[in-house]
Each structure stands twice: as structure tokens, then as C-alpha cells.
Amino acid sequence: MSGWGLALRVARREAWRNKKRSVLVVAMLALPVAGAAAADTLWRSSQVTAEQKAAWNMGRYDALVTDTGTPMYQTPDMSGAGPVRDPAGNSPAPVRTAPATVAGLAALLPAGSHVGQPETLGHTQVQVTNGTSRGWGLVRDTDLGDPLLAGTADRVSGTVPAAPDQVTLSSALAGRLHKKAGDTVGLRTTDPVTGAVSPVLTVHVSGIYDSKSDPYGDVLFVRPGIFGPQQTGGAGAPSQATFPISVHGGVDWTLTKQLNAQGFTVQSKRLLADPPPRSQVPYYQFYAGYTDASNNAQLAVVAIALSMILLEVVLLAGPAFAVSARRRRRDFGLLGAAGADGRRLRRIVLADGVVLGAAGGVLGAVVGIVASAAALPWFGHYTQQALGGFRLRPLELAGSALVGVGTGVAAAVAPAITTARQDVLTALTGRRGAVSTPWKLPLIGLAGVLAGSVLIVFGAWHGGQEVTITVISGIVLAELGMVACTPLIVTWSGRLARVLPLTGRLALRDGARNRGRTAPALAAIMAAVAGASAVAMVINSDDAQSRHYYQSQLRMGQAVAQLDDGNSGVAGAVADRLVKQIVDVLPTSMVAILQGIGFGNGQPPVPAPDIVRAPGNMCPDHLNAAAQAKDPRCGLGQSGRIQFLTGSTSVVSGGPELVRALLGRDDPAAEAMLKTGGAVVFDKYDLATTGARSTVHLAISGTCGQPATCPRQDDKQATLPAALVDSPRADVSAIVAPGALDKFGVKFAPMAALFDTTRMPTTDEEQRADDLVAATGISESFYVERGYQSQTWAGMLALGAVAGVVMLGAAAVATGLAITDAQNDLETLAAVGARPRVRRTLAASQAAVTAGLGAVLGAAFGLLPAVGLIEAKAQQIAPESMSSAQQTQFAPPWLYLGVVVVALPVLAAIGAAAVTRSRIEMRRRRG
């Protein structure tokens, strides 16, 4: 029998003889394989092929043709398209200015072709109202009654729209609005240019249909022309219509290029199945492809993460192989006495890894497949995406199973080397032999820690496109170095045993003496805690930075109702009625109506005032974001969350109550100024003149966004007496008295209502107020300022769970192996009068020492990667970005660290004590 054959046979018998240990190791090795197999199956099943997408989008039609009006280049699968270019990069003029028609497109197709009704809305978003409820949905004007479009939507109930006032809702939207077939809803559209909102169009729900390409989306199917002949084009712009066409034999590449020349792009089923050679596609010549560096970085990070997971498994499974090899050292001694050399002994231990790894690989692959099949419907619902169908890739699954074999062999490498080096006489007598302090491996580990630290520092402060890969690589290298240093750390920790009680002293010294069993478990805990702690520190620091720079234009407890729909304002009677209704449900102490100027329909421009600053008060154009943050003239200090809109200008109109609502206090001078027809200015740099008679200069413009550069006209200038409150804001620059600008044709309308409250409104009160706003037909939600709301608890909980599972698992493995390995010591203690509970307290001490030491090392080591990641993220912010002016915050998550370093080790100790029997069974020893 060959050497490997004999080794595998011995390994199989040994695994069958020690079933409990084998089951534990197989389960650990099967876990990553199951995860990999499940992830691979779910990923493959979630992929939608181009042929499936085409069938879902065009049904039984042969192609979808989109009107662009300009000659186009495209890829055969329509993954890319662009205007035709000459060698100089210039594009030709449009071939038409009017939208394409069915007849015009049919004239370009072969005889016998059929052109369906075009879809012109292009997935336009509309507001769907239902009394006090409201939602948003993507509307598609597709004729579901067309038999050639069968398969583009799944019927849930009802029928397809048969009349212009009928629509179908998706299941998600119908559930959100609590609607079914036969009910009515209201539709409101927003003009993409002016922002004007249309009146409510009442329609009947004829059925519930889910789009095949977006089964979980909020989608409405309507009849073509429901919103009029010009459905999406604002200001006279033609919409990009998409025509489904049917051509005998399909749409080939020749016909596609002909349609491209006439200003159309084509998505063809035939081209998906039989694409032309790349050399025949002009798009690739004029639109060269590029490599997405961000995708490469993501793949690198994923690969590194998977490698670290496998390292965790190797570290957790390694002690089991080590203890198994040591318990069989007498058998190995007999083999050595019979002539077996170190190579054969090493092969026998590695065969253990092969046998158990193969069992774990097969079991993990089967479990992963079954789990993915059961989770596939939930996966589609959770990810809110259409799935391509359950698919298995045998070669990829076989590769996942081989990962189990490789992991098992890797876990058995260290015990195999130790077994091959043991002395035959020492093994036969059952002695441990001299245990020396390791130094070669820790030196290599120290070098890895230093090299990894250099990479982290370089990547964090150097910046660049590959900064993420550099930092992550440094983290992995440093973590591997710490793992290599673990045996020495375990050995040194034994010197602390003298300060501990009996069981703690025994546990710490036993761990130091048997570092081959303790070090891998300790390293697994340290690696898991270090990674989780680093991510937790990054999350908590980002949250601290967001909290530190959070600035709202409202005060705590203050509420606002946006009154304008499409920035056009509402009638005063509507605003008064809504305010009265909200006051009845909200603990209100004061209400102020803010009046602004809407954009109108853009034809003609709406007169609107803007402040004109003196030349010395304007922000210099040459400053970057960091410099602007230090210059008070630039207004970056006024940045914050704007909870209401003021229309086309930040100059608003209101009475003294608006000043009190915005300032949160009384200002007699400002209130008196408004009563006398003047203005209130919030920034001293907006004043035209200062002193006892301060003034503000206003330019009355229509659509000019930069009044300082507009041509000056004497009849379009206004100078008003002004009072300064010197409290710069991002939303309002000045308040003018009602009627102060009437002679210039400036018409203010209610834009927002601000509510000062006597206490923080409850969520129920906020919802009731929001329902009142929705019933008025306003799209914006009612808002109550509750301060910064942290959302990090879910991430912290997940990280704590990951660290806890690894810590408890590693502590359990190490403790179980230690108790089994220390049976002789326990029998000796029992013989000299030790109480039965010593075994239980020893188990608790073993778990606490392993988990506690690993947690402390991991939490301390996680500091370096966290700093590197935070600095790397800060370096990637562009200098011209507003965020570049913010100082990086570093905030350790003390509660999380306390749980990981203190609570989890205590929990591990309690669990170990709870599952360990106190009674010590006395066995007969070999003499």
C-alpha cells in the first residue's frame, strides 16, 4: 500500500474512533464551505441574463427602439451608446427635432414589420395619493393588453387598463396604499423644469400587476397619453419614446446600424444571441472601454476578507489536530520505533486534515446548496430585485468543497511538523519533553507587524486611487504578524499566574505550557476582535463626526410644514386652514408663516429680490473649500440641514412672529423694523450700509441666479432700511415686511409654516400632522427637529455578534480540549483532596483566560487599522469638497469595547462552567 493510502486509512479509522472530536472539526471546516457554496448559488441565481432581461422588457417583440434624434453608435447588447463622432471628436447635427412617430419608424423597417405603441414616459416618477396616504411610483405607459407584450408583467388580480382613467398598481405600491382592484387613487406629476405640480388626476385601479424586471418596485402601468400628448418634455422638449418592434427574422446588425444612423438605439434579441465581431462595432473605436478601478479594489477587499475568514477557521481547527496528535504520541512513538521516519509521521497527521477536510467540504457544499434553495425567495424579497432562477455551477461548488480540504490540511500543518520532530523515546514514555520558548516565528511576526504598520501609514497619508488596497493589505500583514507573535505572548502570559487564585493559576500556566493548543484559539479571538473593533471604531468615528458637524436650521422640538408644491406657493386660505388643523394636533406655542416666491412656469420670469453685497463683502472666487470655511464672507459657517424651501430666493416675507420663530427669542429692534416696512438681515456682510441707519440693497431679478453679475436697471433696484440680527442662516438671508416690495411687482405666497412647541411632539402627533399635510395635496412631509439621530446601533450589534460568536466558539474549543488534555492533572488534584467543583472552576478559568487575553490584544491592536482607515477616508475627500473643511474625528466606541473586553469573556467563563461536569472520573493510568 502506498504511503498516502496507508495514511488516509489510518486517518479514517482515527476519525471514526473519535467521533465527537471529528464532528467538531468537520463542523468548523464545513462552515466556510457552506457559506461559500450558499453565496455562490445565491449569486448565480440572482443573475439575470441579457436574454431574460430582453424578454421581460419587450415580451414577444424582437427589439426595443429608442428615439434619440441624433445619429448614434452603440454596442450590440446596448450596454453602451453615444453620439456618432468623427476623428476630431465632433458629432453631427440632429436628424430631426420633432419626436419620432409609429409611421415614421415603420417606414424604416422591412416590409411586414410591426411597430407597437411607444412608451414615452420613460419611467417618470409620479405622486400617488390616497386620502391622507401618499407614495411615489414609476409610471409606465405600456399597453399591457398587447398580446406581444405578454410576459412583461405578472398578473396578481384584476385586469389591464382598458380606459384612459384606469391604471394598475404593483403589489408593493398597492400594499403601501392599502388599495385593491376597483379602488381609486390620485396622480400628480411634477414638471422637470419648473417644478410645478399638476392638479390631482383621479384614476381607477383596474388591477394589480408586477413588472417582471422590477417585481418589488412601486410601478404603475397606465394607458398611453394619460397625461396629455406631451408627457415628459418640459418647456417644449420632445420625450425619448421607446418603440417595440417585430421584424421577420429579428433585428440584425445591419438593420441596427441603419436605425442608428437615423437617430435610434436598438436593443435586439437576435444581437444578444448572435453579436457581431468586435471589429464591426464602431462604438468600441470611438468610445474606448476602461477598467473600473473601484471594482478591482472591491474585489481585492472581498478576497482579503475571505482569506481572513479561512484563517479564522484554520486557527480554530488547529488546536483539535494538535490535541489529537499529542494524545496519539505513543502510537507515533511505536511507528517511529518500527522504522517510520518523520516524513511518514507528518503524512499521517496531514491525512487527518485531508479526511476531515473532505468530509467538511462535502457536507458544507450540500448544506450550502440546501440553504440557498430555501433562502432564495427570501433573498429576492430582501434585496428587492428580480432573480434569474435557481442555478448550480458544479465546478464552482467543487472548488468550494476543495476549500474545505485545503483548510483542513492547513490546520494540520503545524501539528504534523511538531509530530515529525518529536523524540521517539520521549513519545513512548509519555513525557512532554523540554519546551523551549519560540523566537524565530515571533521575529517573523514582529517584522510583519512593522511592515504592515508602514503600509497602513503610507496608504492613509499618501492618498491615491489604490489607497484602500494599500491600507487593507497593511492591516492583513500586521494581523498575520500578530498571529505569529501569539505563541510568545502566551508563553510570557504564564508569568502572571502567581497573582491569580488556584484555578486561574492552573489555567494560565497550562495554556503557556500547551501553547500549541492555546495560541491558535487566542489568535483567532484576537484577529476577530481586532477586525471588528477596527470597523466599530471607524463607524463610531464617522458617527461622531456627523454628530459634531450636525447643524439644523430648526431648534429642538420645532416643526415645519412645507406649504409649496413645486416651489409655487399656496393660497393664503389654504395655509391658514392647514395651520389651524395642525395646531389642534400639535402642542403649539406659536406659529409663523414664511412667505416666499416660487419659480412659476418660467415664462415670463417671476420678479424676485436678491441681496446685492458690496464688493468688499463678497466671497473671493479663488478660495478653495478649506479657505472658504475660514472666511466668514463665504457663508460656509451657515451650512446645515435645510428643512424647508423658500422658493427662488432666500429673501422672504413675514411679520415679527417669523423673526421670533427663526431666532428663538424676541428682538424688539428687528420686530419694530418689520412693523415700519423695513427688512431684517441675518448676516452683517449683507448690509449695504451700517450704523444707526443700516440699509440693505436688493436687486429685483427674474431668473438670474447671480444678481451681482446681472445688468443693473434703475427700476429694478430697491434699498430698504434694515435691522441686523447677526445670526447667519443657510435658508433665509433676509425678511422683508409684507407689502414692502409691492411696487416692484414682487408677489410673495405662503411657502412654509413654522411651529414652536411646548414640548417635543410624539411620533404619533407628528404622523397625524403629516397626514393633514398629505390630505392638502402637499408632497413634502411634515418634519419635527429631533436633533442628530444615530443609526450605528445595528452595525455595532452585528460587529459585537461576530466577535462574540468567534470568541465563544474559540473559547469553547480551547477549553474543551484543555479539560480533555488535563485529565491526568485533574485526577491528581482529586487524589490529593481537591473538591469536585475545581474541574468546573478550572474550565471557567480556561475560558476566561483565553477569551480575555485575546479580547484585550484584539481591542488594542484594532486601534492601528482604525486610525489608518479613518485617515485614508479623509485623504480621499477632494480638496474642493465641502467636507474637506471638517476635521477628522476619532471616537473609540467605549461601550462596545467594554462589552467585548469584559462582558464576553465573563459570558464565556459562565458558559464553560455551566456545561462542564464537576465530577472527575478516575481512570487507570498506564505504568
Side-chain angles (χ1 to χ4, degrees):
M1 182 178 293
S2 64
W4 272 109
L6 176 61
L8 291 174
R9 184 176 180 182
V10 172
R12 179 178 59 82
R13 290 181 175 179
E14 178 65 21
W16 187 256
R17 185 180 299 115
N18 298 279
K19 297 183 181 64
K20 293 182 179 179
R21 179 184 64 85
S22 300
V23 169
L24 175 64
V25 175
V26 168
M28 286 190 291
L29 297 177
L31 187 60
V33 176
D40 178 77
T41 304
L42 288 176
W43 179 55
R44 290 298 185 184
S45 301
S46 64
Q47 288 181 320
V48 180
T49 64
E51 291 79 5
Q52 286 178 313
K53 289 182 181 179
W56 292 348
N57 290 329
M58 63 185 75
R60 287 186 284 181
Y61 279 100
D62 295 312
L64 291 178
V65 178
T66 302
D67 175 23
T68 64
T70 303
M72 301 290 289
Y73 289 142
Q74 70 164 77
T75 59
D77 60 355
M78 263 303 291
S79 60
V84 169
R85 293 177 178 177
D86 59 20
N90 301 317
S91 298
V95 294
R96 58 181 171 277
T97 56
T101 62
V102 173
L105 177 59
L108 302 175
L109 300 177
S113 301
H114 172 68
V115 180
Q117 286 295 323
E119 184 175 348
T120 60
L121 290 176
H123 298 257
T124 302
Q125 197 171 49
V126 298
Q127 185 187 33
V128 187
T129 61
N130 173 31
T132 59
S133 300
R134 56 186 167 179
W136 291 88
L138 295 176
V139 60
R140 297 185 56 184
D141 54 337
T142 300
D143 185 8
L144 293 180
D146 187 345
L148 293 180
L149 287 176
T152 59
D154 290 329
R155 176 184 176 275
V156 179
S157 63
T159 61
V160 300
D165 63 342
Q166 291 183 348
V167 301
T168 66
L169 306 180
S170 63
S171 299
L173 185 58
R176 187 172 292 109
L177 297 175
H178 306 289
K179 288 295 183 180
K180 61 182 185 300
D183 294 339
T184 59
V185 294
L187 303 182
R188 298 166 65 94
T189 61
T190 303
D191 190 283
V193 175
T194 65
V197 178
S198 69
V200 176
L201 174 65
T202 302
V203 294
H204 299 277
V205 179
S206 65
I208 309 298
Y209 280 73
D210 289 329
S211 170
K212 289 284 290 186
S213 59
D214 189 13
Y216 300 99
D218 296 332
V219 181
L220 303 88
F221 286 101
V222 301
R223 296 282 298 175
I226 186 174
F227 297 120
Q230 185 173 306
Q231 305 200 76
T232 62
S239 61
Q240 285 194 343
T242 299
F243 299 81
I245 64 172
S246 178
V247 179
H248 180 69
V251 179
D252 59 12
W253 185 237
T254 301
L255 180 57
T256 297
K257 290 194 295 183
Q258 294 175 1
L259 292 174
N260 290 161
Q262 296 299 320
F264 296 96
T265 58
V266 182
Q267 182 182 0
S268 168
K269 289 181 179 179
R270 178 173 173 178
L271 293 181
L272 293 175
D274 184 22
R278 188 181 181 91
S279 59
Q280 298 182 12
V281 182
Y283 177 86
Y284 296 126
Q285 177 183 355
F286 293 94
Y287 293 88
Y290 64 94
T291 301
D292 192 347
S294 63
N295 288 342
N296 294 338
Q298 292 175 2
L299 291 177
V301 172
V302 171
I304 292 173
L306 293 178
S307 301
M308 297 306 296
I309 292 174
L310 294 179
L311 174 63
E312 290 286 333
V313 176
V314 169
L315 293 174
L316 290 174
F321 288 104
V323 171
S324 173
R326 190 165 60 250
R327 294 183 66 181
R328 297 158 58 193
R329 62 182 178 271
R330 180 178 174 83
D331 299 335
F332 291 132
L334 291 173
L335 288 173
D341 57 5
R343 183 170 56 88
R344 286 182 177 274
L345 297 179
R346 185 167 56 247
R347 189 179 296 164
I348 291 175
V349 179
L350 290 176
D352 288 345
V354 174
V355 170
L356 296 180
V362 173
L363 177 63
V366 173
V367 171
I369 293 172
V370 174
S372 60
L376 189 60
W378 173 86
F379 179 77
H381 181 75
Y382 178 78
T383 58
Q384 298 288 289
Q385 64 175 343
L387 303 179
F390 186 71
R391 299 190 184 98
L392 296 177
R393 294 291 188 269
L395 290 179
E396 295 174 3
L397 295 174
S400 301
L402 288 178
V403 169
V405 178
T407 306
V409 172
V413 166
I417 295 174
T418 303
T419 300
R421 292 176 178 177
Q422 71 179 355
D423 181 71
V424 174
L425 183 60
T426 302
L428 289 174
T429 57
R431 298 172 184 172
R432 293 182 180 271
V435 179
S436 60
T437 302
W439 61 271
K440 293 182 180 180
L441 186 62
L443 284 180
I444 297 175
L446 181 60
V449 172
L450 295 177
S453 302
V454 170
L455 283 178
I456 293 173
V457 173
F458 176 80
W461 276 272
H462 183 268
Q465 293 292 331
E466 304 300 329
V467 59
T468 302
I469 298 179
T470 304
V471 173
I472 295 296
S473 300
I475 292 173
V476 172
L477 184 58
E479 192 160 325
L480 290 176
M482 283 295 297
V483 170
C485 294
T486 304
L488 183 61
I489 296 175
V490 171
T491 302
W492 285 352
S493 67
R495 301 177 182 179
L496 303 175
R498 66 185 66 181
V499 300
L500 298 178
L502 174 63
T503 53
R505 195 158 59 246
L506 290 174
L508 199 56
R509 286 176 175 171
D510 179 73
R513 187 169 62 251
N514 299 280
R515 57 176 177 268
R517 165 186 17 100
T518 308
L522 186 67
I525 295 174
M526 183 203 66
V529 172
S533 297
V535 176
M537 290 182 189
V538 172
I539 293 176
N540 199 62
S541 298
D542 287 345
D543 183 69
Q545 183 165 350
S546 299
R547 184 186 299 275
H548 179 76
Y549 287 100
Y550 177 85
Q551 181 181 355
S552 175
Q553 300 301 318
L554 300 178
R555 301 185 305 281
M556 287 290 291
Q558 196 173 27
V560 62
Q562 186 74 48
L563 301 178
D564 68 310
D565 250 328
N567 287 340
S568 58
V570 297
V574 175
D576 293 340
R577 182 172 62 253
L578 178 60
V579 166
K580 184 177 183 303
Q581 293 172 340
I582 294 177
V583 168
D584 292 338
V585 301
L586 208 67
T588 306
S589 60
M590 185 188 70
V591 181
I593 300 294
L594 181 148
Q595 299 194 59
I597 298 175
F599 292 100
N601 58 10
Q603 301 291 336
V606 177
D610 285 289
I611 294 178
V612 179
R613 285 187 173 186
N617 291 344
M618 299 186 67
C619 178
D621 296 332
H622 63 276
L623 299 181
N624 58 22
Q628 289 181 14
K630 300 177 182 179
D631 194 327
R633 296 172 297 175
C634 298
L636 287 188
Q638 308 167 17
S639 60
R641 295 173 61 88
I642 298 178
Q643 307 297 356
F644 57 87
L645 301 176
T646 60
S648 61
T649 176
S650 59
V651 177
V652 301
S653 178
E657 70 281 355
L658 182 58
V659 176
R660 293 193 294 270
L662 294 178
L663 294 180
R665 55 181 170 82
D666 293 332
D667 192 313
E671 296 175 14
M673 180 61 68
L674 289 179
K675 291 178 181 179
T676 58
V680 175
V681 177
F682 289 84
D683 191 339
K684 64 181 180 180
Y685 294 102
D686 287 335
L687 291 176
T689 59
T690 59
R693 297 184 178 182
S694 302
T695 60
V696 62
H697 194 58
L698 302 175
I700 312 301
S701 57
T703 58
C704 180
Q706 299 291 336
T709 63
C710 293
R712 294 289 184 262
Q713 299 179 8
D714 293 338
D715 60 342
K716 293 296 182 179
Q717 305 292 314
T719 301
L720 298 178
L724 175 66
V725 295
D726 201 13
S727 179
R729 302 177 60 90
D731 48 10
V732 176
S733 58
I735 304 175
V736 299
L741 300 177
D742 285 353
K743 63 181 178 179
F744 297 98
V746 177
K747 302 295 183 183
F748 289 97
M751 284 283 176
L754 284 78
F755 300 84
D756 284 356
T757 57
T758 58
R759 56 171 173 80
M760 180 65 70
T762 64
T763 54
D764 181 65
E765 291 170 339
E766 182 179 3
Q767 183 60 51
R768 291 167 63 188
D770 185 65
D771 291 341
L772 293 172
V773 173
T776 310
I778 298 172
S779 60
E780 299 292 334
S781 299
F782 187 79
Y783 178 80
V784 175
E785 179 57 47
R786 303 183 184 275
Y788 179 76
Q789 302 295 313
S790 176
Q791 302 294 331
T792 62
W793 64 269
M796 292 292 185
L797 186 63
L799 290 172
V802 171
V805 168
V806 174
M807 183 183 298
L808 296 178
V813 171
T815 302
L817 295 175
I819 291 297
T820 302
D821 201 31
Q823 181 65 28
N824 292 338
D825 297 336
L826 292 172
E827 292 174 0
T828 301
L829 288 172
V832 298
R835 296 182 180 181
R837 70 168 181 267
V838 170
R839 188 172 191 267
R840 180 169 297 185
T841 55
L842 180 61
S845 300
Q846 288 277 6
V849 166
T850 305
L853 187 57
V856 171
L857 292 175
F861 177 72
L863 180 67
L864 178 62
V867 173
L869 290 172
I870 293 172
E871 283 298 327
K873 183 178 179 182
Q875 291 294 325
Q876 288 181 319
I877 299 177
E880 63 273 11
S881 172
M882 300 287 288
S883 301
S884 64
Q886 298 182 1
Q887 293 183 353
T888 302
Q889 303 286 318
F890 182 76
W894 298 114
L895 179 60
Y896 168 83
L897 294 177
V899 171
V900 171
V901 174
V902 179
L904 287 179
V906 171
L907 181 61
I910 294 174
V915 300
T916 303
R917 293 182 301 174
S918 298
R919 188 166 153 301
I920 301 175
E921 297 182 1
M922 305 296 291
R923 301 175 304 175
R924 181 179 178 180
R925 299 189 183 183
R926 295 179 181 180

